[in-house]
């Protein structure tokens, strides 16, 4: 065997180890999310909210649409998986970029019964997928990466009606795709 053959085998082993580590991480995160989501066996309609927002990420350098169902686990603790689809960047001469951010978060709501203002803190896991497409003299080359991180942030709801609340939120993702994200939208 030549040196090039050994290099190829080493690269394949490293690639397979990386895949297994990512699969284990996603399996653990999915298991924890399922336990959080279905750990409370009494599901009622008032335990759910749907959130829609416009978002901006400083690293994605783009606006996006943020969607999040929120499930009330306990009075103040809510499970909040979400996805943000950032609008594709304007193509430059050689590069186009698409970014999608998936989150598995928990919200701790600090509210009083008679208050319209509901501040909350947010924390959880982030998975960001970035797709870069390079124009190489008419032949597109694509590079895709998924990065993991941890979300930390805060926000506030303005509870105008029981099932309608405008909100604003800011979060920072620490990790492979670190970015600051702000958003504003409506919870129904």
């Amino acid at each position: 065997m030549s040196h090039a053959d050994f290099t190829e085998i080493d690269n394949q082993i490293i690639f397979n180890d990386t895949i297994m580590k990512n699969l284990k991480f996603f399996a653990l995160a999915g298991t924890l999310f399922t336990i959080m989501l279905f750990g409370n066996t009494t599901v009622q309609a008032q335990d759910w909210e749907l959130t829609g927002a416009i978002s901006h990420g400083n690293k994605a350098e783009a606006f996006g649409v943020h969607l999040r169902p929120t499930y009330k686990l306990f009075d103040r603790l809510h499970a909040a998986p979400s996805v943000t689809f950032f609008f594709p960047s304007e193509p430059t001469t050689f590069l186009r970029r698409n970014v999608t951010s998936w989150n598995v978060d928990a919200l701790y709501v600090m509210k009083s019964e008679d208050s319209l203002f509901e501040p909350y803190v947010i924390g959880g896991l982030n998975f960001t997928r970035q797709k870069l497409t390079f124009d190489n003299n008419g032949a597109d080359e694509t590079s895709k990466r998924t990065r993991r991180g941890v979300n930390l942030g805060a926000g506030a709801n303005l509870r105008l009606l029981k099932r309608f609340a405008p909100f604003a939120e800011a979060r920072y993702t620490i990790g492979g795709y670190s970015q600051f994200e702000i958003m504003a939208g409506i919870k129904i």
Side-chain angles (χ1 to χ4, degrees):
M1 288 186 132
S2 70
H3 178 66
D5 291 335
F6 282 114
T7 303
E8 180 65 30
I9 291 170
D10 286 344
N11 288 341
Q12 188 64 36
I13 291 170
I14 291 169
F15 178 72
N16 288 338
D17 281 349
T18 303
I19 288 174
M20 288 308 296
K21 286 178 184 175
N22 285 335
L23 287 175
K24 288 177 186 177
F25 182 81
F26 284 115
L28 177 61
T31 302
L32 291 174
F33 174 70
T34 303
I35 290 169
M36 282 177 33
L37 186 62
F38 297 109
N40 184 355
T41 57
T42 59
V43 177
Q44 299 173 2
Q46 66 265 24
D47 292 340
W48 288 92
E49 281 187 320
L50 184 59
T51 301
I54 298 296
S55 176
H56 186 271
N58 72 326
K59 189 167 184 178
E61 297 177 343
F63 283 94
V65 176
H66 179 84
L67 302 171
R68 174 174 65 204
T70 303
Y71 177 69
K72 184 181 191 182
L73 296 171
F74 302 103
D75 186 40
R76 294 178 184 252
L77 184 64
H78 303 187
S82 66
V83 62
T84 304
F85 299 101
F86 290 99
F87 299 116
S89 65
E90 288 294 321
T92 62
T93 307
F94 301 105
L95 175 69
R96 290 185 313 273
R97 175 175 45 189
N98 292 2
V99 178
T100 304
S101 178
W102 298 87
N103 303 288
V104 181
D105 294 320
L107 278 67
Y108 182 78
V109 181
M110 299 169 277
K111 63 180 179 176
S112 64
E113 293 303 317
D114 57 349
S115 177
L116 293 175
F117 184 69
E118 297 175 345
Y120 60 87
V121 293
I122 190 167
L125 302 174
N126 170 273
F127 308 94
T128 300
R129 183 164 176 84
Q130 180 178 17
K131 178 181 169 188
L132 301 172
T133 305
F134 302 94
D135 182 6
N136 188 9
N137 295 328
D140 285 351
E141 295 179 24
T142 301
S143 170
K144 298 177 185 175
R145 306 188 278 196
T146 301
R147 303 291 182 168
R148 299 185 302 249
V150 176
N151 294 323
L152 299 171
N157 303 320
L158 183 60
R159 189 65 63 185
L160 299 175
L161 300 171
K162 186 174 182 169
R163 300 294 295 168
F164 178 82
F167 81 99
E169 182 177 300
R171 71 171 69 199
Y172 187 74
T173 301
I174 303 164
Y177 196 82
S178 296
Q179 83 167 338
F180 180 71
E181 186 178 350
I182 57 173
M183 66 185 75
I186 296 174
K187 293 183 177 185
I188 53 171

